[in-house]
Amino acid sequence: MGNPYQQTRFLLGTPDTRRAPPDRGAEVAFAGRSNAGKSSALNTITGQRSLARISKAPGRTREINFFQVTDDRRLVDLPGYGYAKVSRSTKSDWQKNIARYLETRHSLCGVILLMDIRHPLKDHDRQVLAWCRAAGLPTHVLLTKADKLKRGPASASLHKTQELLARLHPHASIQLFSSHTRSGTDTLQQVLNDWLGLEDPDNTTS
């Protein structure tokens, strides 16, 4: 099975947008609370075990990390938010940087918002949804770590979150996802393909 993301490579990390790559082309940002599974999702979608660094210590990613898919297409790992064991000033800086990026980055064509299926739609998640809605950004929610729940409870969480999401960001889409089992990878890849204008090698015609 082809994967248009398997050649993705780390480009650079920066604490703010002033040192970001040139604001051209198209990029998709991965946002979420600390330990929601952003790095794992990036590694899963690209088929690379260590593209994005995974840490057992929440709050470790403090920079905006840019990954190059093609010359003018990128995936972006935003700093995790909402972790209690960082200073108030650090939290404030993270929120300002995330907000600035979401509101001013012209090449940003969509946001993947990751939430632990067991703890969806916390306050900071709702704030990101509000930013995305105000900016008119396409948003796709991943309920991560779906393997932690049995099928019934996972489905119930999906439907409950979907109902709340319809009020917070009516045009946002949502799915279940597990980096551990790779469940939902194809759906996520199709969303990324659509936003970035990439073709699935398996669906191309000769």
Side-chain angles (χ1 to χ4, degrees):
M1 179 178 180
N3 182 352
Y5 302 95
Q6 62 187 1
Q7 300 301 319
T8 300
R9 63 179 182 85
F10 177 74
L11 190 58
L12 63 85
T14 176
D16 58 52
T17 58
R18 288 172 292 185
R19 298 182 183 88
D23 193 2
R24 60 174 180 260
E27 61 191 30
V28 173
F30 284 61
R33 289 174 57 84
S34 297
N35 216 25
K38 296 190 307 302
S39 296
S40 295
L42 282 163
N43 290 341
T44 300
I45 197 67
T46 60
Q48 301 181 44
R49 291 185 177 182
S50 57
L51 177 70
R53 186 174 59 181
I54 298 173
S55 173
K56 292 184 179 180
R60 182 64 59 85
T61 302
R62 302 189 181 187
E63 294 186 323
I64 302 173
N65 289 315
F66 292 83
F67 300 89
Q68 185 169 298
V69 181
T70 68
D71 287 344
D72 59 353
R73 296 178 177 94
R74 296 170 297 277
L75 301 178
V76 184
D77 186 7
L78 297 180
Y81 52 79
Y83 185 54
K85 293 184 180 180
V86 296
S87 68
R88 185 173 298 177
S89 63
T90 298
K91 286 183 185 179
S92 178
D93 287 343
W94 289 0
Q95 288 179 251
K96 288 177 181 176
N97 287 336
I98 293 171
R100 186 182 301 116
Y101 171 80
L102 294 176
E103 293 168 356
T104 65
R105 189 73 173 168
H106 297 297
S107 54
L108 180 62
C109 60
V111 174
I112 303 295
L113 179 56
L114 295 88
M115 308 177 196
D116 187 322
I117 191 171
R118 299 163 296 182
H119 314 288
L121 289 175
K122 296 294 186 181
D123 288 345
H124 285 94
D125 299 324
R126 293 170 184 254
Q127 181 64 64
V128 172
L129 283 169
W131 284 331
C132 291
R133 182 177 182 179
L137 281 170
T139 308
H140 184 67
V141 172
L142 289 190
L143 290 182
T144 63
K145 307 183 183 182
D147 58 285
K148 299 292 185 181
L149 297 180
K150 292 183 178 179
R151 181 174 298 179
S155 180
S157 180
L158 172 65
H159 290 304
K160 182 178 180 180
T161 307
Q162 200 166 24
E163 290 177 357
L164 294 170
L165 188 63
R167 297 200 295 269
L168 297 169
H169 192 335
H171 300 296
S173 49
I174 187 172
Q175 69 166 100
L176 299 177
F177 184 81
S178 169
S179 293
H180 180 67
T181 65
R182 297 185 58 83
S183 173
T185 302
D186 289 346
T187 301
L188 173 57
Q189 182 170 308
Q190 188 58 59
V191 170
L192 295 174
N193 289 353
D194 290 345
W195 287 353
L196 292 172
L198 287 170
E199 291 184 338
D200 185 337
D202 289 343
N203 291 333
T204 57
T205 56
S206 56

Coordinates of all heavy atoms in Angstrom, one line a residue, residues 131-176:
W131 N -11.0 29.2 18.0 CA -10.1 29.9 17.1 C -10.2 29.4 15.7 O -10.2 30.2 14.7 CB -8.6 29.6 17.6 CG -8.2 30.3 18.8 CD1 -8.6 31.6 19.2 CD2 -7.2 29.9 19.8 NE1 -8.0 31.9 20.4 CE2 -7.1 30.9 20.7 CE3 -6.5 28.7 19.9 CZ2 -6.3 30.8 21.8 CZ3 -5.6 28.6 21.0 CH2 -5.5 29.7 21.9
C132 N -10.3 28.1 15.5 CA -10.5 27.5 14.2 C -11.8 28.0 13.5 O -11.8 28.3 12.3 CB -10.4 26.0 14.2 SG -8.8 25.3 14.7
R133 N -12.8 28.0 14.2 CA -14.1 28.4 13.7 C -14.1 29.9 13.3 O -14.5 30.2 12.2 CB -15.2 28.2 14.7 CG -16.6 28.6 14.2 CD -17.7 28.3 15.2 NE -19.0 28.6 14.7 CZ -20.1 28.4 15.4 NH1 -20.1 27.9 16.6 NH2 -21.3 28.7 14.9
A134 N -13.5 30.7 14.1 CA -13.4 32.1 13.8 C -12.5 32.4 12.6 O -12.8 33.3 11.8 CB -12.8 32.9 15.0
A135 N -11.5 31.6 12.4 CA -10.6 31.7 11.3 C -11.1 31.0 10.0 O -10.4 31.2 9.0 CB -9.2 31.2 11.7
G136 N -12.2 30.3 10.2 CA -12.7 29.6 9.0 C -11.8 28.4 8.6 O -11.8 28.1 7.4
L137 N -11.1 27.8 9.6 CA -10.2 26.7 9.2 C -10.9 25.4 9.3 O -11.6 25.0 10.2 CB -9.1 26.7 10.3 CG -7.9 27.7 10.1 CD1 -7.1 27.6 11.3 CD2 -7.1 27.3 8.9
P138 N -10.8 24.6 8.2 CA -11.3 23.2 8.3 C -10.7 22.5 9.5 O -9.5 22.6 9.7 CB -10.8 22.6 6.9 CG -10.6 23.8 6.0 CD -10.2 24.9 6.9
T139 N -11.5 21.7 10.2 CA -11.0 21.1 11.4 C -11.5 19.6 11.4 O -12.7 19.4 11.2 CB -11.6 21.8 12.6 OG1 -11.2 23.2 12.5 CG2 -10.9 21.3 13.9
H140 N -10.6 18.7 11.8 CA -10.9 17.3 11.9 C -10.5 16.8 13.2 O -9.3 16.9 13.6 CB -10.2 16.5 10.7 CG -10.6 15.1 10.7 ND1 -11.9 14.6 10.3 CD2 -9.8 14.0 10.9 CE1 -11.9 13.3 10.4 NE2 -10.7 12.9 10.7
V141 N -11.4 16.3 14.0 CA -11.1 15.8 15.4 C -10.8 14.3 15.4 O -11.5 13.5 14.8 CB -12.3 16.1 16.3 CG1 -12.1 15.4 17.7 CG2 -12.6 17.6 16.4
L142 N -9.6 14.0 16.0 CA -9.3 12.6 16.2 C -9.5 12.3 17.7 O -8.9 12.9 18.6 CB -7.8 12.4 15.9 CG -7.2 12.4 14.5 CD1 -5.8 11.9 14.5 CD2 -8.1 11.6 13.6
L143 N -10.4 11.3 17.9 CA -10.5 10.8 19.3 C -9.5 9.7 19.4 O -9.7 8.6 18.9 CB -11.9 10.3 19.5 CG -13.0 11.3 19.6 CD1 -14.4 10.7 19.9 CD2 -12.7 12.4 20.7
T144 N -8.3 10.0 20.0 CA -7.2 9.1 20.1 C -7.3 8.1 21.2 O -8.2 8.2 22.0 CB -5.9 9.9 20.3 OG1 -5.9 10.6 21.5 CG2 -5.7 11.0 19.1
K145 N -6.4 7.1 21.1 CA -6.3 6.0 22.1 C -7.6 5.2 22.2 O -8.1 4.8 23.2 CB -5.9 6.6 23.4 CG -4.6 7.4 23.4 CD -4.2 7.9 24.7 CE -2.9 8.8 24.6 NZ -2.4 9.3 25.8
A146 N -8.3 5.1 21.0 CA -9.6 4.4 20.9 C -9.5 3.0 21.4 O -10.5 2.4 21.8 CB -10.2 4.5 19.5
D147 N -8.3 2.4 21.3 CA -8.1 1.0 21.7 C -8.2 0.9 23.3 O -8.3 -0.3 23.8 CB -6.7 0.5 21.3 CG -5.5 1.4 21.8 OD1 -5.4 2.5 21.3 OD2 -4.9 1.0 22.8
K148 N -8.2 2.0 24.0 CA -8.3 1.9 25.4 C -9.7 1.6 25.9 O -9.9 1.3 27.1 CB -7.8 3.2 26.1 CG -6.4 3.6 25.8 CD -5.4 2.7 26.4 CE -4.0 3.2 26.3 NZ -3.0 2.3 26.9
L149 N -10.7 1.8 25.0 CA -12.1 1.5 25.3 C -12.6 0.3 24.5 O -12.1 0.1 23.3 CB -12.9 2.7 25.1 CG -12.7 4.0 25.9 CD1 -13.6 5.1 25.5 CD2 -12.8 3.7 27.4
K150 N -13.6 -0.4 25.0 CA -14.2 -1.4 24.1 C -15.1 -0.7 23.1 O -15.4 0.5 23.2 CB -15.1 -2.3 25.0 CG -14.2 -3.2 26.0 CD -15.1 -4.2 26.8 CE -14.2 -5.1 27.7 NZ -15.0 -6.0 28.5
R151 N -15.5 -1.5 22.1 CA -16.2 -0.9 21.0 C -17.5 -0.1 21.4 O -17.7 1.0 20.9 CB -16.6 -2.0 20.0 CG -17.3 -1.5 18.8 CD -17.6 -2.6 17.7 NE -16.4 -3.2 17.3 CZ -16.3 -4.2 16.4 NH1 -17.5 -4.7 15.9 NH2 -15.2 -4.7 16.0
G152 N -18.3 -0.6 22.3 CA -19.5 0.1 22.7 C -19.2 1.4 23.3 O -19.7 2.5 22.9
P153 N -18.4 1.5 24.4 CA -18.1 2.8 25.0 C -17.4 3.7 24.0 O -17.6 4.9 24.1 CB -17.1 2.4 26.2 CG -17.5 1.0 26.5 CD -17.9 0.3 25.2
A154 N -16.5 3.2 23.2 CA -15.8 4.0 22.2 C -16.8 4.7 21.2 O -16.8 5.9 20.9 CB -14.8 3.2 21.4
S155 N -17.8 3.9 20.8 CA -18.8 4.4 19.9 C -19.7 5.5 20.6 O -20.1 6.5 20.0 CB -19.7 3.3 19.4 OG -20.7 3.8 18.5
A156 N -20.0 5.2 21.9 CA -20.8 6.2 22.7 C -20.1 7.5 22.8 O -20.7 8.6 22.7 CB -21.1 5.5 24.0
S157 N -18.8 7.4 23.1 CA -18.0 8.6 23.2 C -17.9 9.4 21.9 O -18.0 10.6 21.9 CB -16.5 8.3 23.7 OG -15.8 9.4 23.8
L158 N -17.8 8.7 20.8 CA -17.8 9.3 19.5 C -19.1 10.1 19.3 O -19.1 11.3 18.9 CB -17.6 8.3 18.4 CG -17.7 8.7 17.0 CD1 -16.6 9.8 16.6 CD2 -17.7 7.6 16.0
H159 N -20.2 9.4 19.5 CA -21.5 10.1 19.2 C -21.8 11.3 20.2 O -22.3 12.3 19.7 CB -22.6 9.1 19.4 CG -22.6 8.1 18.3 ND1 -22.7 8.4 16.9 CD2 -22.6 6.7 18.3 CE1 -22.6 7.3 16.2 NE2 -22.6 6.2 17.0
K160 N -21.4 11.1 21.4 CA -21.6 12.2 22.4 C -20.7 13.4 22.0 O -21.2 14.6 22.0 CB -21.2 11.8 23.8 CG -21.5 12.9 24.9 CD -21.2 12.3 26.3 CE -21.4 13.4 27.3 NZ -21.1 12.9 28.7
T161 N -19.5 13.2 21.7 CA -18.6 14.3 21.3 C -19.0 14.9 20.0 O -18.9 16.1 19.8 CB -17.1 13.7 21.1 OG1 -16.7 13.0 22.3 CG2 -16.1 14.9 20.9
Q162 N -19.5 14.1 19.1 CA -20.0 14.6 17.8 C -21.2 15.6 18.0 O -21.3 16.6 17.3 CB -20.5 13.4 16.9 CG -20.6 13.7 15.4 CD -20.7 12.4 14.6 OE1 -21.1 11.3 15.2 NE2 -20.2 12.4 13.4
E163 N -22.1 15.2 18.9 CA -23.2 16.1 19.2 C -22.7 17.5 19.7 O -23.2 18.5 19.3 CB -24.1 15.4 20.2 CG -24.9 14.2 19.6 CD -25.8 13.6 20.7 OE1 -25.7 14.0 21.8 OE2 -26.5 12.6 20.3
L164 N -21.8 17.4 20.7 CA -21.2 18.7 21.2 C -20.5 19.5 20.2 O -20.6 20.7 20.1 CB -20.3 18.4 22.4 CG -21.0 17.8 23.7 CD1 -20.0 17.3 24.7 CD2 -21.9 18.8 24.3
L165 N -19.7 18.8 19.3 CA -18.9 19.4 18.3 C -19.8 20.1 17.3 O -19.4 21.2 16.8 CB -18.1 18.3 17.6 CG -17.1 18.8 16.6 CD1 -16.0 19.6 17.3 CD2 -16.4 17.6 15.9
A166 N -21.0 19.6 17.1 CA -21.9 20.3 16.1 C -22.3 21.7 16.6 O -22.6 22.5 15.7 CB -23.2 19.4 16.0
R167 N -22.3 21.9 17.9 CA -22.6 23.3 18.4 C -21.3 24.1 18.4 O -21.4 25.3 18.2 CB -23.2 23.2 19.8 CG -24.5 22.4 19.8 CD -25.3 22.7 21.0 NE -24.6 22.3 22.3 CZ -24.9 21.1 22.8 NH1 -25.7 20.2 22.2 NH2 -24.2 20.7 23.9
L168 N -20.2 23.5 18.7 CA -18.9 24.3 18.9 C -18.3 24.7 17.6 O -17.7 25.8 17.4 CB -17.9 23.5 19.7 CG -18.4 23.2 21.2 CD1 -17.4 22.2 21.8 CD2 -18.4 24.5 22.0
H169 N -18.3 23.8 16.6 CA -17.7 24.0 15.3 C -18.5 23.1 14.3 O -18.1 22.0 14.0 CB -16.3 23.6 15.3 CG -15.5 24.1 14.1 ND1 -16.1 24.3 12.8 CD2 -14.2 24.3 13.9 CE1 -15.1 24.7 12.0 NE2 -14.0 24.7 12.6
P170 N -19.7 23.7 13.8 CA -20.6 22.9 13.0 C -20.0 22.1 11.8 O -20.5 21.1 11.4 CB -21.7 23.9 12.6 CG -21.6 25.0 13.6 CD -20.1 25.0 14.0
H171 N -18.9 22.7 11.2 CA -18.4 22.1 10.0 C -17.2 21.1 10.3 O -16.7 20.6 9.3 CB -18.0 23.2 9.0 CG -19.1 24.1 8.6 ND1 -20.1 23.7 7.9 CD2 -19.3 25.4 8.9 CE1 -21.0 24.7 7.7 NE2 -20.5 25.8 8.3
A172 N -16.9 21.0 11.5 CA -15.8 20.1 11.9 C -16.2 18.6 11.7 O -17.4 18.3 11.9 CB -15.3 20.3 13.3
S173 N -15.3 17.8 11.3 CA -15.5 16.3 11.2 C -14.8 15.6 12.3 O -14.0 16.2 13.1 CB -15.0 15.8 9.8 OG -13.7 16.2 9.6
I174 N -15.1 14.3 12.5 CA -14.6 13.6 13.7 C -14.4 12.1 13.4 O -15.2 11.6 12.6 CB -15.5 13.8 14.9 CG1 -14.9 13.2 16.2 CG2 -16.9 13.3 14.7 CD1 -15.6 13.6 17.5
Q175 N -13.5 11.5 14.0 CA -13.3 10.0 13.8 C -12.6 9.4 15.0 O -12.0 10.1 15.9 CB -12.5 9.7 12.6 CG -11.0 10.1 12.8 CD -10.1 9.6 11.7 OE1 -9.7 10.2 10.8 NE2 -9.6 8.3 11.9
L176 N -12.7 8.1 15.2 CA -11.9 7.4 16.1 C -10.5 7.1 15.6 O -10.4 6.9 14.4 CB -12.6 6.0 16.5 CG -14.0 6.1 17.1 CD1 -14.6 4.7 17.3 CD2 -14.0 6.9 18.4

